[in-house]
Amino acid sequence: MIVNMNEAGWEIIYHRAHALLAAQIAGQWPKDKTPRVYETIAAISQHDDLEREWQGHHLTEAGAPKDFQLETDVSIDELTQLVEDARYRSRWVAMLTSMHVCFLNEGRVADYPELEGFLEKQRQLQQGWRETLDISQEEANQSYEFMRWCDRLSLILAQRQVPIGGRGLEITSGIEQQRYDIKQNNGTLTVTPWPFERDRFDLTVEAQYLSTLQYDSYDDLQRALREDAKVKDVTWTFVK
């Protein structure tokens, strides 16, 4: 889960909600610029299905809700299952999901050597899917970079990282090596250069709000999220 602290307590955005926000972003791009657009949006919307905030122990040692960036555990079985589940949607969805799993875990091999064999297996699967889909490595990379762009912008929004004062923040430079920046202007947001189909639109994600700062157990936090949390839609307006 994504955890933000504010003056009233905690703002919590579930990872699956963040993935849905990323899918909304993808849906704002011109459809003719996105190969297999609906499959790509499906991959984006489910790429964080591995995150199950209702399982495990997601509290810090101080008893605060634990942000996903503090999670260090890795389960090869769960990663494998995520890709296998994606295959039931389509080869394209499985390929993009597998590429995302590799991107997130390639830098962790030094700490988790068992990942090396898993990642090699994923690369083999990706090659097989590219061959049956009749696409090149470059075409696959372009589609994945689009997926990562949408994921990155969603995280910037959900983590409240947009700078104040009209300063820009780079999203990524992965799509055709084009740099994109997001910035705030009079209460609305803009991206330069503007990549979207419409000149103005809203994006929304659901967030939970808690006023208690510390919990004795994760069960207590879960109970608070289910029974006590105020649930609100967070909305951003984008204008060209």
Side-chain angles (χ1 to χ4, degrees), residues 69 149 151-174 178-185 188-196 236 238:
Q69 295 177 103
W149 192 96
D151 181 55
R152 173 64 182 143
L153 178 53
S154 176
L155 280 175
I156 289 172
L157 297 175
Q159 293 179 300
R160 305 292 191 163
Q161 292 181 343
V162 180
I164 61 174
R167 292 179 293 114
L169 175 67
E170 182 179 1
I171 302 170
T172 74
S173 298
Q178 171 65 59
R179 172 173 172 149
Y180 291 90
D181 291 272
I182 181 171
K183 66 179 180 179
Q184 190 173 181
N185 183 26
T188 64
L189 301 178
T190 193
V191 173
T192 53
W194 185 258
F196 304 112
W236 298 270
F238 282 71

Side-chain angles (χ1 to χ4, degrees), residues 72-134:
T72 58
D73 294 338
V74 60
S75 168
I76 291 177
D77 288 342
E78 290 182 355
L79 293 173
T80 300
Q81 192 63 52
L82 177 67
V83 178
E84 290 180 354
D85 289 347
R87 177 63 188 89
Y88 287 103
R89 295 176 186 261
S90 75
R91 292 165 295 169
W92 186 269
V93 174
M95 179 188 72
L96 292 179
T97 302
S98 175
M99 293 175 74
H100 189 61
V101 165
C102 288
F103 171 77
L104 293 177
N105 289 284
E106 283 169 344
R108 308 177 74 186
V109 173
D111 295 325
Y112 300 93
E114 63 272 22
L115 278 170
E116 189 167 0
F118 165 78
L119 293 172
E120 179 57 32
K121 175 63 175 177
Q122 292 304 309
R123 296 185 194 103
Q124 293 172 6
L125 288 171
Q126 292 164 28
Q127 180 179 351
W129 287 322
R130 290 196 305 271
E131 290 173 355
T132 61
L133 290 164
D134 193 26

Side-chain angles (χ1 to χ4, degrees), residues 11 101 135:
E11 176 187 67
V101 165
I135 63 169

